[in-house]
Amino acid sequence: MSGLRSSVVAAAAGVNLQTLRYYERRGLLAEPDRSLGGHRMYPAETVTVLRVIKAAQRLGFTLEEIADLLETGRHRHGRGADAGLQSRAQAKLAEVEAKISDLQIIAGTLRAAVDAGCDDLVTCAAQPCCPIPFATIAVGAPDADPR
């Protein structure tokens, strides 16, 4: 029987054994064959699949999204597999760009708080010149139940 043992696959892909087993349970990896001694024996391409999974995670895809992408690719047998990735990558890009926009607003507000010398959260919030929009955030917010 040919194949790579779990420890070899994990080391080559830069993951630990628990991650390898977890991806198996989640269906991201096919259940491997077993040697006569009961050891998991993975095909060599498992290393590539693991690297693809980790790269997709770094790009912001969730494991559920990655599983769907992998499944879509398997069913298309290599034909048009980019169409699934293409549309999902565009959606993820829009999501990331929205987060970047939100983070730029947050960074600007924090910069203004630093420049204004805000030192006490409650005191600053009570001042009309406070750069952090506490009053705007609080308007229309329901009072918390004091219980």
Side-chain angles (χ1 to χ4, degrees):
M1 166 165 287
S2 66
L4 304 173
R5 289 178 77 164
S6 300
S7 58
V8 173
V9 170
V15 301
N16 61 44
L17 289 172
Q18 291 80 10
T19 300
L20 187 61
R21 302 284 196 292
Y22 180 69
Y23 289 172
E24 220 177 282
R25 285 192 307 274
R26 292 281 310 255
L28 293 161
L29 298 174
E31 189 173 328
D33 292 331
R34 300 262 182 175
S35 69
L36 293 175
H39 298 285
R40 288 176 165 87
M41 301 301 289
Y42 294 90
E45 61 268 8
T46 303
V47 174
T48 301
V49 173
L50 285 166
R51 289 178 179 161
V52 166
I53 291 168
K54 297 311 285 180
Q57 282 183 303
R58 284 190 296 278
L59 292 173
F61 288 99
T62 65
L63 286 180
E64 188 174 321
E65 291 169 330
I66 295 167
D68 191 42
L69 282 168
L70 290 171
E71 190 63 25
T72 299
R74 287 182 196 122
H75 286 293
R76 292 183 183 203
H77 304 292
R79 288 177 292 144
D82 287 344
L85 176 60
Q86 187 68 231
S87 64
R88 288 179 174 104
Q90 287 173 343
K92 187 58 68 178
L93 177 60
E95 189 180 305
V96 167
E97 287 174 339
K99 286 179 185 178
I100 289 170
S101 177
D102 289 345
L103 289 171
Q104 287 173 331
I105 291 167
I106 291 168
T109 302
L110 291 172
R111 246 184 245 105
V114 169
D115 292 345
C118 296
D119 195 32
D120 180 272
L121 188 62
V122 175
T123 304
C124 183
Q127 302 301 314
C129 63
C130 178
I132 301 176
F134 292 110
T136 307
I137 294 169
V139 171
D143 290 338
D145 187 356
R147 286 186 264 162

